[in-house]
C-alpha cells in the first residue's frame, strides 16, 4: 500500500487541553518519530500519555491550544480523524470500542477500501477483490493465533482483553500504516498475550520496515518484546528526558516517583 | 401461479353507494361493514396525527395485488388465492375465520376494509404439509387520491408450516393515498406461520391497519414487521397465544426520515399454559421524523408458566428526531417470567471515532453503526432474499 510511504512524524510545541476543562495537559511537546524507528514514551499515570495518543489520532474531545504535527508534508492537526488515518497514521487503542452488529471482516474490508479510494483518487484504484482480502486476512489472523470465526464476530463485542489487543494489531497489519501509535497496548495482558501482541507488532514492522512506531507505556515489560530505538520520559505534560533503550530500564529501576520529584525540584 | 388483475377504481368513499358492492352473502356482509364504517368515529390516537387525512375523499381501487406462489404449493394441496377468488371458491373457510381475529367494528378503517377488501391473500395449509418456498404477495397503491384495502387470511392446520412475505408499496412515491390492511393469521395446533410484512410506501401515503394472529397448542408464529415508507403509519397488532405451549418470535424495524410518523402497537396476549413470547423492535429516526413503539405484554389469568420478553430500541440520528416507547406489562397470573427493556440514544461518539480512526468517513462510519444497530433483527431473518430486501430498505434511507 502506498500508505507505506516513509515519513517522520514531527510534533512541535504541542499544547492540549480537554474540551471544556481549563487545564492544560500537554504543555509543549516536541518529538520527532522517525520513519523506521521505534520510539517509546514512558510516564506515570496522569502525565498526558493517552492525551498525546488521542490528540495525534484526532479525537474531538482534545482541544489543541498550540503547536503543529507535521506528517507527509502537512499539519495533520487540521485534518479529521478519518483523513489522518488515510494519510497513514494508526492508533492502537488502549480501550478498543465495541461496535455491535459490525463484523471484524466487514469493517476491515471497508477500512482498506477507504484507504485504497484515497490513494486511487487519481488512478481510479478500485476496491480490494474479495478473494485477495480473504487471503490476506486469513494469513494475518493465523500469525496472530486467531481462530477463523474471529472474522465474523462483532468488533470487540464480548472480547477478552487479549482478543481486543490482538484485533488492534490485526488492524495495523491489514492497514500497513506509515506510523503506528500504540497506546498502552500492554495493559490488561497476561504474559502469553503480551508475547503474541509484541511479536505481532514486530512482524508488521518487519513487513513494513519504514514504519515509525510510537509505543506509549507505563511499564517497561512491553519493551522486552518491542525493542525501542529511543525512549522518552513524559512527566506532567512535558518530555523531561530522552535517551536510548537503557533509559527504559533506568526509569523502571528508579521509578516515576523519583523522576517526578526531580522535575519538581528543577522547576522550583 | 401469478395473479395480476386490472385496476378498477370506485367513486370516493363519500359518494360510494352500497349498490356497487357485489350481491350474495359476501355482498350483504360488505354492505353491513360499510354501514358500520360510516357510523364509527375516527379513532382518537394520541400519537398518530390524522388532521390532514380524510379517508372519505379517497377512491377505493381494486387490482392492486400480485400473488406469487409455486407449483409445489398446489401439488401439496395448499390453497393460495387472491381474496376475491377465495371469496368465491372458499366461502366456508372465510365464513369460519374471517373477522374472528379482527372484528369488523374494531375501528372505522377495519370496517372499510371489511366492506371493500377484494385485493388480498388467502392461504390454507392442510395438516402435516410443510411448504418450503414462501408465498409472496405485493400490494401496490396505484395512483394519487386512491385507497387500497388488502386483506390477508392465513390458516395452517395441525403440524403444517408456511411462510408468507407481503410488501406494501406505491407506484408513484409522491402520491397521497391510503393503504388499509387487515391481516388475520390462525396457526392451529402444532403448526407454524412465518409472516413477513414490509412497508415501503411513498412519502405521502397513510398506512392504517390491524393485524392479528391466534396461535394454538404448541403452534408458533414468527413475525417480522418492517416499515420505512409512508407519511403516517398506525398498525395495531396482536398475537394471542391461546394454546398451551404456543410460541411467538416477533421482530420489527422502522426507519423514519423527513417528517414521517411511524407507529407500531404490538401486543402479545398470553392465554394458554407455558406460552413463550419474545418481542424485539428497533427504530432509527432522522430529520424531524417520529417513531412510536407502543408494545404490550398481557398475561391473562391462568396463563401459568408464561415466559415473555419485550424489548425495543431507538437510535436517534438528529436532534430533532423523536421517538416514544410505551412498553406495558399486565400480569394476572403468578407463575410467570416477564420482562421488558427499552433504550434510546444517539450514535455513540466513541464508536464513531473508533471507526473513523481506521479511515472511514463520518458518513460511512455512521452507516456502519446504523446497519450494526439493525443487524440484531436482520440476522434473525431465515430467508436470504428477505434479508437482502431488508438491508436494501434500510440502506435506501441513509
Amino acid at each position: 500500500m502506498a500508505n507505506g510511504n516513509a515519513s517522520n512524524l514531527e510534533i512541535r510545541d504541542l499544547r492540549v487541553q480537554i474540551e471544556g476543562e481549563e487545564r492544560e495537559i500537554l504543555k509543549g511537546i516536541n518529538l520527532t518519530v522517525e520513519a523506521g524507528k521505534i520510539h517509546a514514551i514512558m510516564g506515570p499515570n496522569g502525565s498526558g500519555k493517552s492525551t498525546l495518543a488521542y490528540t495525534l489520532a484526532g479525537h474531538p474531545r482534545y482541544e489543541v491550544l498550540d503547536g503543529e504535527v507535521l506528517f507527509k508534508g502537512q499539519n495533520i492537526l487540521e485534518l479529521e480523524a478519518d483523513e489522518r488515518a488515510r494519510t497513514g497514521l494508526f492508533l492502537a487503542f488502549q480501550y478498543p470500542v465495541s461496535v455491535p452488529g459490525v463484523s471484524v471482516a466487514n469493517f476491515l474490508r471497508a477500512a482498506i477500501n477507504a484507504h485504497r479510494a484515497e490513494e486511487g483518487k487519481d488512478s481510479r484504484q478500485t476496491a480490494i477483490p474479495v478473494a485477495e482480502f480473504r487471503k490476506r486476512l486469513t494469513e494475518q489472523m493465523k500469525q496472530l493465533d486467531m481462530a477463523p470465526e474471529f472474522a465474523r464476530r462483532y468488533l470487540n463485542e464480548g472480547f477478552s482483553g487479549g482478543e481486543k489487543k490482538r484485533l488492534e494489531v490485526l488492524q495495523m497489519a491489514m492497514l500497513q500504516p506509515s506510523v503506528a501509535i500504540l497506546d498502552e497496548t500492554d495493559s490488561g495482558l497476561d504474559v502469553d498475550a503480551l508475547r503474541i501482541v509484541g511479536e505481532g507488532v514486530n512482524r508488521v514492522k518487519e513487513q513494513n520496515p519504514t514504519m515509525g512506531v510510537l509505543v506509549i507505556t507505563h511499564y517497561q515489560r512491553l519493551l522486552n518484546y518491542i525493542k525501542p530505538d529511543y525512549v522518552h520520559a513524559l512527566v506532567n505534560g512535558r518530555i523531561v528526558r530522552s535517551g536510548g533503550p537503557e533509559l527504559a530500564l533506568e526509569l523502571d529501576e528508579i521509578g516515576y516517583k523519583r523522576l517526578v520529584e526531580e522535575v519538581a525540584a528543577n522547576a522550583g | 401461479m401469478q395473479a395480476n388483475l386490472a385496476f378498477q377504481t370506485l367513486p370516493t368513499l363519500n359518494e360510494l353507494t352500497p349498490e356497487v358492492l357485489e350481491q350474495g352473502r359476501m355482498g350483504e356482509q360488505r354492505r353491513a361493514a360499510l354501514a358500520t364504517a360510516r357510523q364509527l368515529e375516527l379513532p382518537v390516537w394520541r400519537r398518530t396525527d390524522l388532521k390532514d387525512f380524510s379517508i372519505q375523499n379517497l377512491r377505493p381501487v381494486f387490482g392492486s395485488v400480485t400473488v406469487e406462489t409455486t407449483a409445489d404449493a398446489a401439488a401439496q394441496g395448499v390453497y393460495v388465492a387472491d381474496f376475491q377468488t377465495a371469496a368465491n371458491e372458499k366461502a366456508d373457510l372465510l365464513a369460519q375465520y374471517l373477522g374472528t381475529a379482527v372484528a369488523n367494528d374494531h375501528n372505522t378503517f377495519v370496517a372499510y376494509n371489511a366492506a371493500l377488501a377484494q385485493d388480498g391473500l388467502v392461504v390454507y395449509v392442510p395438516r402435516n404439509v410443510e411448504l418450503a418456498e414462501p408465498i409472496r404477495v405485493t400490494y401496490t397503491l396505484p395512483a394519487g387520491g386512491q385507497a387500497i384495502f388488502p386483506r390477508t387470511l392465513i390458516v395452517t392446520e395441525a403440524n403444517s408450516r408456511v411462510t408468507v412475505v407481503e410488501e406494501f408499496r406505491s407506484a408513484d412515491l409522491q402520491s397521497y393515498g391510503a393503504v388499509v390492511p387487515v391481516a388475520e393469521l390462525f396457526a392451529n395446533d402444532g403448526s407454524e406461520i412465518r409472516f413477513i410484512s414490509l412497508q415501503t410506501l411513498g412519502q405521502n401515503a397513510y398506512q392504517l391497519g390491524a393485524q392479528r394472529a391466534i396461535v394454538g397448542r404448541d403452534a408458533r408464529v414468527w413475525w417480522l414487521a418492517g416499515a420505512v415508507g409512508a407519511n403516517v403509519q398506525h398498525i395495531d397488532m396482536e398475537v394471542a397465544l391461546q394454546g398451551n405451549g404456543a410460541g411467538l418470535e416477533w421482530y420489527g424495524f422502522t426507519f423514519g426520515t423527513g417528517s414521517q410518523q411511524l407507529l407500531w402497537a404490538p401486543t402479545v396476549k398470553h392465554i394458554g399454559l407455558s406460552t413463550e413470547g419474545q418481542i424485539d423492535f428497533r427504530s432509527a429516526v432522522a430529520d424531524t421524523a417520529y417513531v412510536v413503539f407502543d408494545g404490550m405484554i398481557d398475561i391473562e389469568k391462568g396463563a401459568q408458566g408464561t415466559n415473555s420478553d419485550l424489548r425495543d430500541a431507538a437510535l436517534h440520528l438528529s436532534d430533532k428526531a423523536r421517538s416514544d416507547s410505551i412498553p406495558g406489562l399486565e400480569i394476572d397470573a403468578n407463575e410467570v417470567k416477564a420482562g421488558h427493556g427499552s433504550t434510546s440514544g444517539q450514535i455513540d461518539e466513541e464508536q464513531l471515532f473508533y471507526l473513523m480512526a481506521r479511515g472511514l468517513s463520518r458518513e460511512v462510519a455512521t452507516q456502519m453503526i446504523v446497519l450494526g444497530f439493525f443487524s440484531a433483527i436482520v440476522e434473525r431473518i431465515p430467508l436470504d432474499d428477505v434479508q437482502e430486501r431488508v438491508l436494501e430498505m434500510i440502506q435506501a434511507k441513509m
Side-chain angles (χ1 to χ4, degrees), chain A residues 58-59 82 85-86 91 98 100-102 107 110 114-115 154 156 168 171, chain B residues 350-351 353-362 368-369 372-373 375 379:
Chain A
H59 194 293
D82 58 317
R86 293 196 300 271
L91 169 66
S98 69
V102 176
F107 169 55
H115 284 252
Y154 293 152
N156 295 311
E168 295 298 292
Q171 295 179 47
Chain B
E350 296 304 321
Q351 290 180 349
F353 175 66
Y354 187 69
L355 300 190
M356 287 176 71
R358 299 298 180 250
L360 300 185
S361 66
R362 182 174 292 271
M368 213 163 222
I369 292 169
F373 169 75
S375 75
E379 67 189 14

Side-chain angles (χ1 to χ4, degrees), chain A:
Chain A
M1 279 189 161
N3 272 343
N5 288 344
S7 171
N8 291 351
L9 180 81
E10 292 180 51
I11 305 168
R12 290 186 187 162
D13 300 321
L14 184 63
R15 290 173 47 231
V16 175
Q17 70 179 17
I18 291 181
E19 204 181 63
E21 293 176 23
E22 297 289 305
R23 188 169 60 87
E24 214 170 294
I25 296 177
L26 298 183
K27 300 169 180 169
I29 300 281
N30 283 287
L31 174 67
T32 297
V33 179
E34 292 168 45
K37 299 291 183 194
I38 298 178
H39 292 250
I41 287 196
M42 299 181 70
N45 291 332
S47 58
K49 299 194 300 292
S50 283
T51 297
L52 178 61
Y54 276 127
T55 303
L56 293 174
H59 194 293
R61 206 161 81 89
Y62 297 88
E63 190 183 337
V64 175
L65 301 171
D66 200 7
E68 55 186 10
V69 177
L70 301 176
F71 182 55
K72 296 192 180 170
Q74 55 187 332
N75 178 10
I76 59 165
L77 296 179
E78 289 162 6
L79 304 178
E80 292 290 327
D82 58 317
E83 296 169 314
R84 297 183 199 192
R86 293 196 300 271
T87 306
L89 182 111
F90 181 91
L91 169 66
F93 282 58
Q94 181 180 5
Y95 302 112
V97 181
S98 69
V99 190
V102 176
S103 75
V104 167
N106 282 347
F107 169 55
L108 272 172
R109 196 145 63 90
I112 287 174
N113 285 335
H115 284 252
R116 287 168 70 112
E118 180 88 4
E119 292 150 24
K121 266 180 186 161
D122 303 320
S123 60
R124 293 178 62 83
Q125 194 171 1
T126 51
I128 185 168
V130 175
E132 186 190 329
F133 171 74
R134 288 228 176 97
K135 187 164 165 276
R136 268 180 57 196
L137 182 62
T138 310
E139 276 168 14
Q140 295 292 351
M141 283 176 48
K142 207 169 153 193
Q143 288 180 343
L144 283 163
D145 223 358
M146 295 163 107
E149 308 77 90
F150 204 87
R152 290 193 296 273
R153 288 176 66 185
Y154 293 152
L155 278 183
N156 295 311
E157 184 147 271
F159 281 25
S160 69
E163 286 173 332
K164 285 182 184 172
K165 297 301 166 79
R166 266 186 265 183
L167 176 59
E168 295 298 292
V169 178
L170 175 68
Q171 295 179 47
M172 182 169 96
M174 294 295 283
L175 294 173
Q176 300 183 8
S178 312
V179 64
I181 302 156
L182 310 180
D183 186 12
E184 310 228 14
T185 294
D186 51 333
S187 69
L189 294 188
D190 61 25
V191 179
D192 288 337
L194 192 65
R195 181 180 50 77
I196 291 169
V197 165
E199 286 172 1
V201 172
N202 289 333
R203 211 164 30 238
V204 176
K205 179 84 177 66
E206 273 164 34
Q207 289 161 1
N208 184 8
T210 62
M211 178 172 76
V213 181
L214 182 61
V215 184
I216 294 175
T217 182
H218 187 100
Y219 302 103
Q220 191 271 337
R221 59 176 199 163
L222 180 63
L223 304 181
N224 291 333
Y225 297 95
I226 305 170
K227 304 276 187 208
D229 298 296
Y230 307 100
V231 174
H232 313 272
L234 182 68
V235 173
N236 197 15
R238 290 191 180 89
I239 289 175
V240 294
R241 287 186 58 187
S242 290
E246 71 289 346
L247 179 58
L249 295 167
E250 192 191 327
L251 290 173
D252 214 38
E253 208 165 291
I254 65 167
Y256 293 121
K257 195 161 171 268
R258 270 267 301 279
L259 191 67
V260 173
E261 284 162 6
E262 273 179 38
V263 170
N266 290 342

Side-chain angles (χ1 to χ4, degrees), chain B residues 11 52 97 118 122 162 187 194 233 239 338 351 390 393:
Chain B
D52 296 329
Y97 287 103
Q118 286 210 2
V122 175
V162 74
R194 296 196 299 198
Q233 168 179 295
V239 174
Q351 290 180 349
V390 168
M393 285 166 69

Side-chain angles (χ1 to χ4, degrees), chain B residues 234-352:
Chain B
H234 187 115
I235 300 280
D236 191 349
M237 304 182 284
E238 185 182 291
V239 174
L241 299 174
Q242 227 163 47
N244 298 343
L248 166 69
E249 269 185 81
W250 207 347
Y251 302 105
F253 67 93
T254 318
F255 201 142
T257 53
S259 57
Q260 286 182 301
Q261 299 179 36
L262 305 173
L263 175 145
W264 296 116
T267 292
V268 55
K269 270 196 156 98
H270 294 271
I271 302 162
L273 293 172
S274 304
T275 60
E276 289 195 8
Q278 189 189 332
I279 301 180
D280 190 351
F281 276 55
R282 294 188 168 224
S283 306
V285 58
D287 307 324
T288 59
Y290 176 47
V291 300
V292 181
F293 173 82
D294 189 355
M296 177 81 182
I297 297 176
D298 182 357
I299 303 175
E300 300 202 343
K301 207 170 166 185
Q304 305 297 21
T306 290
N307 190 348
S308 198
D309 189 57
L310 176 150
R311 334 234 123 223
D312 73 290
L315 182 61
H316 290 228
L317 304 175
S318 89
D319 293 340
K320 288 182 178 156
R322 290 183 304 142
S323 69
D324 275 337
S325 166
I326 312 122
L329 197 53
E330 245 181 64
I331 306 180
D332 277 333
N334 50 16
E335 286 168 37
V336 302
K337 237 170 84 182
H340 66 74
S342 165
T343 61
S344 77
Q346 309 259 349
I347 291 245
D348 184 300
E349 283 296 323
E350 296 304 321
Q351 290 180 349
L352 201 55

